[in-house]
Amino acid sequence: MNELRSSPATAESVAADLERAIHEHRLPPGTKLGEDELGEVYGISRTTVRAALQSLAHHRLVELRRNRGAFVAQPTVREAREVFEARALLEPRTARSACQRMDADKLQTLQDHIDAEHAAIDAGDAGRAVYLSGQFHIEIARMADQATIEAIISELVARSSLIIALYWQRRAALCESHAHHALIDAFAAGKDDLAEDLMKSHLLDLVTSLDLRNRTSIPGSLREALSQ
Amino acid sequence: MNELRSSPATAESVAADLERAIHEHRLPPGTKLGEDELGEVYGISRTTVRAALQSLAHHRLVELRRNRGAFVAQPTVREAREVFEARALLEPRTARSACQRMDADKLQTLQDHIDAEHAAIDAGDAGRAVYLSGQFHIEIARMADQATIEAIISELVARSSLIIALYWQRRAALCESHAHHALIDAFAAGKDDLAEDLMKSHLLDLVTSLDLRNRTSIPGSLREALSQ
DNA sequence: GAGGACATTTTTGTATACAATACTGCCGAC
DNA sequence: GTCGGCAGTATTGTATACAAAAATGTCCTC
């Protein structure tokens, strides 16, 4: 995406670029992220690449194996459950707070998000739709005016994106935006109790839409290659 | 602490060492962490030091200012409130889960923690007492068998340690261990509702024991120097 | 022909050298 | 006397070079 930017890429910009690529499933779980390769792509040295990879590793988006290199993380079934457990503790109450601080501008921002989501779905860009769907949750946390919780949710949303890439069973791609619509309605009506409940059940729906049976899709990329 | 270890220090060990030093308030908020200086102390190059500092920066324990260097973080009053807001969302429910999975071994582990805490207090080592007090909370999260939530709480506890260093008003140093005792009792009795409530009020007590008035102790070290 | 050991190659881990940026002290002008 | 600019110094940011580890491919032995 940024191969030919004028100023040299920084560790932060590379990390952001990679994070987005992972988010949008252009870099699927298990992908090897070679340092030389990335350095060549972005026109920077391995030093800077390593800084970016370390940053992503701290967010659990890439796994760093000693003397082996960096790989796009492959959350286990257990991790998947845990991430949504954590989100279930944080997001409903955060949605309530956001509802209490809602105003016309914020409502419009959320509406724009949903519109962009729909546009991505219509364009057949599922990866981008997932990304935007996650951003919707982060935006709500931001509106709750809790920067710390927002940062935590951002991380969990990013990991959720990986989880969706691994465990999503394509049944109804549109159920999500319906839930998001309902949330906006609750926000607009100022019904904070409802917003909290909607978020709670929305997250529950998300988990149940995943295929988290204890099959062996956990470990390395070899299993995936064998199953093809 | 590790100046004369046989094998060379790794980025991880340096990060752990620094984290502990920050935890125990041996490195107070605002302390400059020069790369050359640290490299000399641990007998490693700046490359490794930088990796450790970046790791700590991701956990918000140190602040990285571009072309300025690394400093032990100085959470603002706002951040302090936010950190405890997040803990209030996560820890009570986690204490409940831990209670439901409690057994004799785990109870003993928690009791040992408290004993160590008391020993540190008796020895006048307040820094270590704060560290152990934090570990108590992390241990509970671990017992809830939620690695993801445990990691989040670990980060919040570490930041809480900085907040305590900055905003703690020394009144009753022993109120904490009393709350921890009460929690153990609830665990032993298997009263998960009580455990959840106790954790909730314990966190509330912690916040109220801080001096979070909007005084100007926020920004750089200059303000602190002026007030002395 | 199969298995294991060794050498090769590739890739990461670490240190060092250079460049860029910000800070400190000095000097001159107003 | 104070303010503004300028040079020197120190520290971080980045790149490159070297060392170590792991993976792979080849060859020899059984």
Side-chain angles (χ1 to χ4, degrees):
Chain A
M1 178 179 274
N2 286 345
E3 299 92 355
L4 28 88
R5 51 197 300 164
S6 52
S7 56
T10 66
E12 291 81 32
S13 71
V14 171
D17 209 50
L18 288 175
E19 180 166 349
R20 186 152 181 162
I22 294 172
H23 244 107
E24 296 183 354
H25 302 171
R26 297 199 308 273
L27 291 174
T31 305
K32 172 75 182 288
L33 301 172
E35 296 181 356
D36 268 320
E37 196 179 344
L38 287 173
E40 206 168 310
V41 168
Y42 289 104
I44 53 178
S45 74
R46 278 178 50 220
T47 309
T48 309
V49 172
R50 283 176 72 85
L53 290 176
Q54 278 184 26
S55 174
L56 293 174
H58 285 295
H59 291 301
R60 313 272 186 128
L61 257 68
V62 312
E63 191 182 341
L64 248 47
R65 302 183 210 170
R66 191 170 180 85
N67 290 320
R68 294 289 312 280
F71 301 82
V72 178
Q74 301 185 111
T76 62
V77 169
R78 182 194 182 85
E79 271 182 80
R81 291 191 207 278
E82 287 186 350
V83 165
F84 280 97
E85 281 273 349
R87 291 185 65 174
L89 290 187
L90 292 170
E91 294 200 52
R93 289 274 296 271
T94 302
R96 169 189 283 267
S97 298
C99 187
Q100 289 162 350
R101 295 164 185 275
M102 197 52 56
D103 60 35
D105 275 357
K106 289 173 181 160
L107 272 174
Q108 189 57 50
T109 303
L110 291 176
Q111 190 61 55
D112 291 345
H113 263 276
I114 289 199
D115 292 343
E117 230 179 293
H118 281 193
I121 290 172
D122 292 343
D125 192 346
R128 181 155 181 78
V130 170
Y131 170 75
L132 288 168
S133 168
Q135 290 301 113
F136 183 84
H137 286 251
I138 294 170
E139 199 64 53
I140 289 173
R142 178 170 304 138
M143 288 170 180
D145 206 29
Q146 290 278 350
T148 299
I149 291 174
E150 181 194 332
I152 296 171
I153 291 179
S154 291
E155 201 177 308
L156 292 172
V157 164
R159 293 171 71 181
S160 298
S161 175
L162 282 176
I163 291 164
I164 288 170
L166 278 175
Y167 301 110
W168 180 262
Q169 45 188 4
R170 321 225 159 255
R171 288 189 310 194
L174 300 178
C175 68
E176 279 234 50
S177 46
H178 175 67
H180 287 185
H181 264 301
L183 265 168
I184 288 195
D185 289 343
F187 287 150
K191 294 177 177 170
D192 53 2
D193 281 326
L194 180 60
E196 183 172 347
D197 282 343
L198 282 173
M199 180 61 86
K200 196 170 173 180
S201 51
H202 173 39
L203 288 171
L204 225 72
D205 283 347
L206 268 175
V207 179
T208 53
S209 76
L210 298 176
D211 182 9
L212 295 183
R213 289 169 304 186
N214 267 3
R215 44 171 190 167
T216 53
S217 68
I218 310 148
S221 48
L222 71 158
R223 298 291 181 94
E224 288 182 310
L226 285 170
S227 67
Q228 281 176 0
Chain B
M1 178 178 276
N2 286 346
E3 297 91 353
L4 27 91
R5 52 197 297 161
S6 53
S7 56
T10 66
E12 292 80 31
S13 70
V14 171
D17 209 51
L18 288 174
E19 180 166 348
R20 184 150 181 162
I22 294 172
H23 245 106
E24 296 184 355
H25 301 171
R26 296 199 308 272
L27 291 174
T31 305
K32 172 74 182 288
L33 301 172
E35 296 180 357
D36 269 321
E37 197 179 343
L38 287 173
E40 206 166 311
V41 168
Y42 289 103
I44 52 178
S45 74
R46 278 178 49 219
T47 308
T48 309
V49 172
R50 283 176 73 84
L53 289 176
Q54 278 183 27
S55 173
L56 293 174
H58 284 296
H59 292 305
R60 313 275 187 128
L61 258 67
V62 313
E63 191 181 342
L64 247 47
R65 302 184 207 168
R66 191 171 182 82
N67 290 318
R68 295 288 311 280
F71 302 81
V72 177
Q74 301 185 108
T76 62
V77 170
R78 182 194 183 85
E79 272 181 79
R81 291 191 206 278
E82 287 186 351
V83 165
F84 281 97
E85 282 272 350
R87 293 185 64 174
L89 289 188
L90 292 170
E91 295 201 52
R93 288 276 295 271
T94 302
R96 169 189 284 267
S97 298
C99 187
Q100 289 161 351
R101 295 164 185 274
M102 196 52 57
D103 60 36
D105 275 357
K106 289 172 181 162
L107 272 175
Q108 189 56 50
T109 303
L110 291 177
Q111 190 61 54
D112 292 345
H113 262 277
I114 288 198
D115 292 342
E117 230 179 292
H118 280 192
I121 290 173
D122 292 343
D125 192 346
R128 181 154 181 79
V130 170
Y131 170 74
L132 289 168
S133 168
Q135 290 301 113
F136 184 83
H137 286 251
I138 295 170
E139 200 63 52
I140 289 174
R142 179 171 303 139
M143 289 171 179
D145 204 29
Q146 289 278 350
T148 298
I149 291 174
E150 181 195 332
I152 297 171
I153 290 179
S154 290
E155 200 177 309
L156 292 172
V157 164
R159 293 171 71 180
S160 297
S161 175
L162 282 176
I163 290 164
I164 288 170
L166 278 174
Y167 301 111
W168 179 263
Q169 44 187 3
R170 321 226 159 258
R171 288 189 310 194
L174 300 179
C175 68
E176 278 234 50
S177 47
H178 175 67
H180 287 186
H181 265 302
L183 266 169
I184 287 195
D185 289 343
F187 287 150
K191 294 178 177 170
D192 53 2
D193 281 326
L194 180 61
E196 183 172 346
D197 282 344
L198 282 173
M199 180 61 86
K200 196 170 172 179
S201 51
H202 173 39
L203 288 171
L204 224 71
D205 283 347
L206 268 175
V207 179
T208 53
S209 75
L210 299 176
D211 182 9
L212 295 181
R213 290 169 302 187
N214 266 5
R215 44 172 190 166
T216 53
S217 68
I218 309 148
S221 49
L222 69 157
R223 297 292 180 94
E224 288 182 309
L226 284 170
S227 66
Q228 282 175 358

